[in-house]
Amino acid sequence: MATLGLSAAEREAIEDFKREVIEPSMTQLVILDFWAEWCAPCKAFAPVLEKVAKDYAAKGVVLKKINVDENKLIATQFRIQSIPTVYALFQGQPVADLTPARTEAQLSKMLDQILKQIPIQGEAQSMEEQLVPLIAMGEDVLAAGDAPRAVSVFQQLIEMAPEHAHVIGGLIRAHVAAGQIAEAEAEVAALTPEQRKDAAITRAVSALTLAKEAKPVADLSGLIAKVAAAPEDKDARFELAGGLMAAGDRDAAADHLLEIIRQERDWNDNAARTLLLKLFEVVGITDPWVAAQRRRLSAVLFT
């Protein structure tokens, strides 16, 4: 902002704006709220702005308020024609007009979109960078079959990030893999409705459901022989698939479930297909194994 020809008060106002708004915006996302004492909509929206700014503080978001009556020069520079007007500033430049947002959900959605596109490094982002390799380590340990150690890893991560969906989901799945069903159920019971919507949590809950439905079979060899002798016995084949799943043999389990679907796709109210889809969710929708099994399922259903 040029200061040539301005009064001392105006130059001071500009310096204050640079110090309080522009400088913080170099490393943070500044929510800039233009308001006035006489503006009822401004006062009605203020609690929403303050709440969201507080919730996003760890992500590098800060709220700054500009009273247009006391800062007419700043308001003019931003060409403010009506209030409330709310901008998002980064590195001294407006990056979004937040004025259309009128609810906490709308404002949060807009901020989430902005934060994905700019290099803000708040506490939350720093924590996420630390967690990514640690979560990967926990997943590797779990995939290797060392469930008790995976439980230990994810319990340590919970202490670092108790609200992190991937950490919570990992701990639930580790408990399930370790046969600690009661512990997994306790973790699920503590979830909030919002957390339950996360894909990582959904996957973990499916793992728990699957573990409770796929009952271990004491004598798999006997069931295998029974199915070999009576290939059309879908009840026995379904029981065998569950036993194989409980034993960790997902390939054989998928084979038998797909065979049931091939024989009678709607058998027992789609029980085989439902169990197979739960298995996909537990393994992970983006996993190459799931992609391959989905192709097999499609081939069975559409040929």
Side-chain angles (χ1 to χ4, degrees):
M1 293 181 182
T3 59
L4 187 63
L6 299 180
S7 67
E10 289 173 330
R11 286 196 295 272
E12 183 179 354
I14 289 177
E15 289 304 317
D16 288 344
F17 183 77
K18 288 180 178 178
R19 182 177 63 256
E20 296 178 9
V21 177
I22 300 301
E23 290 179 9
S25 78
M26 293 297 108
T27 56
Q28 297 175 295
L29 183 69
V30 174
I31 299 176
L32 190 57
D33 175 28
F34 290 92
W35 71 291
E37 286 288 352
W38 48 265
C39 174
C42 299
K43 291 184 176 180
F45 191 41
V48 175
L49 282 173
E50 291 164 5
K51 167 73 164 54
V52 172
K54 181 179 179 181
D55 291 344
Y56 279 73
K59 297 182 180 180
V61 176
V62 61
L63 173 63
K64 300 293 182 180
K65 301 175 73 68
I66 300 294
N67 186 316
V68 296
D69 291 333
E70 298 174 356
N71 297 274
K72 294 180 179 178
L73 178 63
I74 302 300
T76 299
Q77 292 285 334
F78 278 86
R79 299 179 181 177
I80 303 302
Q81 297 180 340
S82 63
I83 52 175
T85 292
V86 184
Y87 290 135
L89 266 65
F90 181 61
Q91 295 185 342
Q93 299 296 321
V95 293
D97 183 356
L98 304 178
T99 309
R102 279 293 178 266
T103 67
E104 184 178 334
Q106 291 171 345
L107 188 56
S108 296
K109 183 178 180 179
M110 293 183 76
L111 289 176
D112 287 338
Q113 292 172 344
I114 296 168
L115 290 171
K116 289 178 181 178
Q117 301 175 46
I118 58 177
I120 296 292
Q121 191 63 30
E123 291 179 12
Q125 290 90 336
S126 297
M127 175 61 76
E128 187 68 25
E129 285 187 2
Q130 295 177 45
L131 284 173
V132 167
L134 297 175
I135 292 172
M137 179 182 73
E139 292 290 353
D140 288 345
V141 172
L142 186 56
D146 194 346
R149 184 175 167 225
V151 169
S152 177
V153 171
F154 281 110
Q155 283 176 333
Q156 292 178 57
L157 293 179
I158 281 285
E159 295 179 6
M160 296 173 59
E163 304 297 324
H164 198 289
H166 283 86
V167 174
I168 298 170
L171 179 58
I172 293 170
R173 289 186 293 108
H175 278 312
V176 169
Q180 300 167 354
I181 303 302
E183 290 84 347
E185 289 178 327
E187 293 290 343
V188 170
L191 294 170
T192 66
E194 194 62 31
Q195 286 175 322
R196 289 175 181 269
K197 297 176 184 177
D198 192 281
I201 298 296
T202 301
R203 178 187 178 192
V205 173
S206 294
L208 175 59
T209 302
L210 196 60
K212 294 163 71 174
E213 292 182 358
K215 303 297 184 183
V217 175
D219 183 17
L220 278 174
S221 60
L223 260 181
I224 292 171
K226 184 177 181 180
V227 170
E232 302 297 321
D233 187 343
K234 288 179 278 294
D235 287 293
R237 192 180 290 277
F238 187 76
E239 184 182 356
L240 175 57
L244 290 165
M245 206 175 292
D249 190 346
R250 66 186 187 186
D251 291 309
D255 288 344
H256 286 289
L257 292 172
L258 285 166
E259 176 58 22
I260 292 172
I261 297 168
R262 188 194 66 76
Q263 290 182 17
E264 185 181 341
R265 69 176 61 184
D266 298 328
W267 174 78
N268 196 17
D269 292 330
N270 292 299
R273 185 177 178 184
T274 299
L275 189 58
L276 184 60
L277 292 177
K278 284 181 181 178
L279 177 58
F280 291 170
E281 195 167 26
V282 170
V283 175
I285 300 302
T286 60
D287 191 282
W289 182 86
V290 171
Q293 300 307 316
R294 280 189 176 279
R295 287 192 292 271
R296 294 180 67 199
L297 176 60
S298 295
V300 169
L301 292 174
F302 300 109
T303 56

